[in-house]
Amino acid sequence: MADIQLFYFHEIRGRGEFLRMLLTAAGIQFEDVRIKMETWGAIFSETLETEAKQATPYGQLPYIIYKGKKYAQSIPMASYFAKRFGFYGRTDEDALKQEEVMHLVEDLRVPHVRDWVYAQGEKKAQMLQKLKDIIFPRYLGYFEALLAENGNHGFFVGHSVTMADMYLYDILETLQGLGGAEVLKDFPLLQKLCENVRSFPALKEYLVNRPKTTV
C-alpha cells in the first residue's frame, strides 16, 4: 500500500484535484481514492449520515491518510507536500507569495464559483453572466499583476512550476470551462502559466488522460 491515500470526489476536480496534481508532479505514488456523490450523500448536510462522511476527520473532503494518520484541509496539506518535494520556492517571501495566491483563489472559488454550481434555473444563468462579465475579469487582473511582479515568465516565483502555479492552473481550467477559452484572451501571463503547467514533464500525460469535469 502507498504511504499516501488521497480521498476526494470522483465527479469534480475541486480542491482535491490540485493535490493529485502536486503529488503527480513530484513523482510520488499515492492511492487515488475517488468517492462518488451517491456514496457521499448530501453536500450541505449538517449530520454525518453516510459511512464516507464518518470516515473523514471533519466531515468533508479532501483528506489524506499519510503513514497511517488522517489529515485534512487542502492548503495545509498542499503546503506540506510542496515543502517536502520542492514546489514551495526558495525563500520565506516565495512562500508568502504562494500562500497569497492560493487564498486569493479561494476568494474566487467561495462564494463565486461554488454558488454558481449549486444555483438552479434562471438564477444560474444570471450568475454565470455576472461571473463572465465582472468577477472573472477582476480576479484574473489580480493574478496577472501578481505574475508580472516576477517578470514575464508565467511563474509566481522563480523560474519553474511551484505550488501556486498549479493551484491557479486548476481554477483557470474551471473558468475556461464556464466562460470559454476567450476568458484568458487579455491575460498573456496567465496563458503562459497554463502552458508552463501543461508542459511540465511529470504532469503532461496525467493532464491529458485525467477524467474530464466542468469544475
Side-chain angles (χ1 to χ4, degrees), residues 119-126:
Q120 300 292 326
E122 184 178 344
K123 183 178 181 182
K124 194 177 187 76
Q126 293 172 346

Side-chain angles (χ1 to χ4, degrees), residues 63-154:
Y63 75 97
I64 62 172
I65 299 178
Y66 180 49
K67 296 183 178 180
K69 186 172 181 180
K70 292 181 181 179
Y71 299 91
Q73 297 298 326
S74 55
I75 292 180
M77 289 189 290
S79 296
Y80 173 79
F81 289 120
K83 290 175 186 176
R84 283 209 61 191
F85 303 129
F87 293 96
Y88 203 66
R90 296 177 178 273
T91 68
D92 290 342
E93 288 72 25
D94 287 349
L96 175 60
K97 171 64 73 65
Q98 293 194 79
E99 297 282 352
E100 180 182 14
V101 169
M102 293 172 72
H103 284 278
L104 188 58
V105 168
E106 288 305 298
D107 288 347
L108 171 58
R109 191 194 307 273
V110 181
H112 301 298
V113 174
R114 181 203 63 187
D115 286 357
W116 173 84
V117 169
Y118 296 111
Q120 300 292 326
E122 184 178 344
K123 183 178 181 182
K124 194 177 187 76
Q126 293 172 346
M127 291 177 68
L128 180 58
Q129 196 62 49
K130 180 181 178 181
L131 288 174
K132 292 193 290 187
D133 292 347
I134 300 174
I135 303 301
F136 291 172
R138 178 192 304 166
Y139 278 88
L140 294 175
Y142 295 154
F143 294 124
E144 184 85 358
L146 287 168
L147 283 168
E149 292 177 0
N150 190 42
N152 64 350
H153 316 294

